[in-house]
Amino acid sequence: MRINSRGGFTLVEVAIVLCIFSILLAVTLPSLQKKISEYRFEGAARQLVADIKYLQQKALAESSEYYKIEFYNNYYQLNKSTETIKKVQLPANTEFYRFTFSGNIMNISARGTATPGTITLYQSELKKYLYIKVAVSTGRVRLSSTNDSDPNITNILRSKDNEALDKPQYQCRRYRAKQHQDPTTAKEGPIVANQPADQPSQPRA
């Protein structure tokens, strides 16, 4: 007499598989979320570059001086005079951090050149900056992850993580000693190590 047995999984085996899957998901999910945030952040910056170039082409083709981009905290608008062509919302935790041109408006000339300067995007979750730069003479638009090549904003922007370096406890010890030095005994010249009074310094050969 044959007994037909059906293949399957026991409740314990299913529970073990689910437990392993949960652990793997908990390990990989934070890095996956970070990658998604980076992708959206960089995509928003590239979209802005494309929108600026689009308005440059429109203004040049129509010889129009009425095209402009208005920037707000977490979105921007493409306008022609008072007409809104397009409104773009930035991703979550992303905002416009700084503009080197005055106001929040980038004007496009009839020659297709945009207001020169740098637009800085900041992602608070990643603590990361991206820079959209418009050249002064050519109006060329490019995306950069650094601001060192632009003298207008060098050393202006600083990560919030580095603000602690400005606190007094991080100042140079020698500078603090100089601040507390008695002005009546202060002498010019290099700082040398103190020597015992009964052992004069040896003359140099």
Side-chain angles (χ1 to χ4, degrees):
M1 181 176 180
R2 292 184 178 181
I3 300 176
N4 294 328
S5 61
R6 296 182 180 180
F9 300 100
T10 64
L11 184 60
V12 175
E13 292 173 336
V14 173
I16 293 174
V17 171
L18 289 177
C19 183
I20 295 174
F21 179 77
S22 300
I23 294 173
L24 293 176
L25 185 62
V27 171
T28 59
L29 187 59
S31 60
L32 180 61
Q33 290 178 338
K34 183 179 179 181
K35 290 295 182 181
I36 293 174
S37 297
E38 289 178 350
Y39 176 79
R40 290 176 177 173
F41 181 47
E42 294 176 1
R46 295 183 188 280
Q47 180 63 51
L48 177 54
V49 171
D51 287 336
I52 295 174
K53 292 181 178 180
Y54 169 74
L55 284 194
Q56 287 178 319
Q57 294 174 356
K58 292 282 290 184
L60 182 61
E62 300 175 10
S63 298
S64 174
E65 298 181 350
Y66 297 105
Y67 286 101
K68 60 184 178 180
I69 301 178
E70 296 183 6
F71 297 95
Y72 299 91
N73 184 44
N74 55 1
Y75 72 96
Y76 62 93
Q77 292 183 169
L78 279 63
N79 298 335
K80 183 178 182 181
S81 188
T82 58
E83 177 188 358
T84 299
I85 303 173
K86 182 181 180 182
K87 179 180 177 181
V88 180
Q89 185 76 32
L90 296 179
N93 302 317
T94 303
E95 63 181 359
F96 289 108
Y97 185 81
R98 181 181 172 87
F99 311 96
T100 58
F101 49 84
S102 59
N104 65 329
I105 299 177
M106 173 180 283
N107 295 302
I108 312 296
S109 70
R111 296 182 301 171
T113 58
T115 303
T118 302
I119 304 165
T120 304
L121 284 171
Y122 177 64
Q123 220 284 0
S124 58
E125 181 184 0
L126 302 172
K127 300 186 185 308
K128 183 178 179 181
Y129 296 96
L130 286 177
Y131 309 92
I132 294 91
K133 303 181 181 183
V134 181
V136 176
S137 57
T138 61
R140 177 174 172 264
V141 185
R142 64 186 181 91
L143 176 62
S144 176
S145 59
T146 60
N147 64 345
D148 297 333
S149 60
D150 194 334
N152 293 324
I153 58 174
T154 300
N155 297 327
I156 292 179
L157 296 175
R158 183 177 297 170
S159 173
K160 295 180 180 179
D161 294 337
N162 295 331
E163 290 179 357
L165 297 178
D166 293 332
K167 296 181 179 180
Q169 61 264 33
Y170 291 98
Q171 294 177 354
C172 177
R173 292 183 179 179
R174 182 174 177 179
Y175 178 71
R176 292 206 306 270
K178 186 176 180 181
Q179 284 182 320
H180 295 87
Q181 192 176 29
D182 187 356
T184 61
T185 60
K187 296 181 180 180
E188 298 293 334
I191 298 176
V192 296
N194 294 329
Q195 296 180 353
D198 57 345
Q199 295 182 4
S201 60
Q202 298 294 331
R204 296 182 179 180

